[in-house]
Amino acid sequence: MQRVLVTGANRGLGLEFVRQLLARGDRVFAACRKPGQAHELTKLAAAHPGRLGVLPFDAANPATAAGLAREIAMVADALDLVIGNAGVLPSGERFGDLDAKVMNDAFVVNCTAQVMLAQAVVPLLEKGERPRFVTISSIMASITARGAFGTPSYCISKAALNMATRLLSFELAPRRITAFCVHPGWVQTDMGGAGAQITPLESIQGLLRVFDAATTDAAGTFRDWQGKELPW
């Protein structure tokens, strides 16, 4: 049984992570902005007594990462896997009408919060079994793969997340923690849209296989939901 933290866990990919982790017997800490309004998580907690904790974490306020780690430490002595899934994709952006605050806010949620999360949970991961810190990125963050202007706040902040995760990999490797980033695919969620290529079920099944198979060689890499390395 792994001890797993998932952020952004109240909907979309985060919620599907929680469902699948619980189904296979793991102990899960599901973090979201408003636990009291996370009705699906509440149902899952009732269906899996003692194996799901729903805790507050607001990626728009990265300082809340420290409180999240303290709450987990009160009931668990270690974490084996942390999935930094919380993210935001501002819509409707057009060059010539970009909003600096929107861009800055996206950077905080998509990048800064993940670094603060890593800092906060390292003491728990250091005590874990084969500990991994994984950030949910996107192929849209690949500088090599981009061919047109679009969704700049998301693309730029996720590209920064890739660099942040690579930097973290060097700091965390001596602590036995493997840090890497992943692209979940184009998924049929509120963010991905109904016309996306794969379902949340397929994406998370693939990602969990990648996480389970990851060795120290995965540190600092960028992979897709099937384990293929992606261009930076």
Side-chain angles (χ1 to χ4, degrees):
M1 179 180 71
Q2 293 189 95
R3 295 151 294 185
V4 186
L5 167 62
V6 182
T7 66
N10 60 314
R11 63 177 183 166
L13 295 182
L15 184 58
E16 186 62 29
F17 268 123
V18 174
R19 288 194 183 109
Q20 292 194 31
L21 289 163
L22 288 171
R24 72 184 201 173
D26 291 329
R27 185 177 186 189
V28 183
F29 299 96
C32 60
R33 284 193 305 125
K34 298 178 180 179
Q37 297 177 21
H39 303 304
E40 292 302 316
L41 290 175
T42 300
K43 292 176 186 176
L44 286 170
H48 300 273
R51 289 203 294 114
L52 176 60
V54 184
L55 303 172
F57 172 62
D58 184 358
N61 180 9
T64 60
L68 172 62
R70 283 195 299 269
E71 288 206 44
I72 294 172
M74 292 174 64
V75 294
D77 58 2
L79 287 170
D80 306 305
L81 173 62
V82 173
I83 304 170
N85 171 72
V88 62
L89 192 162
S91 62
E93 292 182 304
R94 298 289 184 274
F95 184 75
D97 193 31
L98 298 176
D99 187 317
K101 184 177 185 306
V102 171
M103 297 189 75
N104 290 337
D105 289 349
F107 190 93
V108 169
V109 172
N110 290 341
C111 182
T112 306
Q114 313 312 318
V115 180
M116 296 300 103
L117 179 67
Q119 241 182 198
V121 299
V122 156
L124 287 163
L125 282 170
E126 286 181 309
K127 300 174 186 175
E129 297 180 13
R130 202 166 56 85
R132 289 138 292 153
F133 181 86
V134 185
T135 57
I136 304 300
S137 183
S138 170
I139 190 61
M140 294 170 70
S142 170
I143 295 172
T144 304
R146 295 304 289 164
F149 186 93
T151 55
S153 293
Y154 185 77
C155 294
I156 293 168
S157 58
K158 286 291 190 177
L161 172 64
N162 285 0
M163 173 60 85
T165 307
R166 187 158 172 84
L167 289 177
L168 286 169
S169 73
F170 297 117
E171 180 65 30
L172 300 185
R175 306 169 190 255
R176 298 188 308 109
I177 303 166
T178 301
F180 59 101
C181 42
V182 295
H183 164 53
W186 185 18
V187 190
Q188 296 164 11
T189 61
D190 290 344
M191 186 179 290
Q197 296 172 332
I198 60 174
T199 66
L201 177 68
E202 293 170 313
S203 173
I204 301 311
Q205 284 177 338
L207 286 173
L208 290 179
R209 284 193 291 268
V210 173
F211 299 169
D212 290 344
T215 66
T216 54
D217 290 340
T221 62
F222 181 24
R223 299 169 181 262
D224 72 7
W225 63 284
Q226 296 175 306
K228 176 185 175 183
E229 283 206 52
L230 297 173
W232 295 110

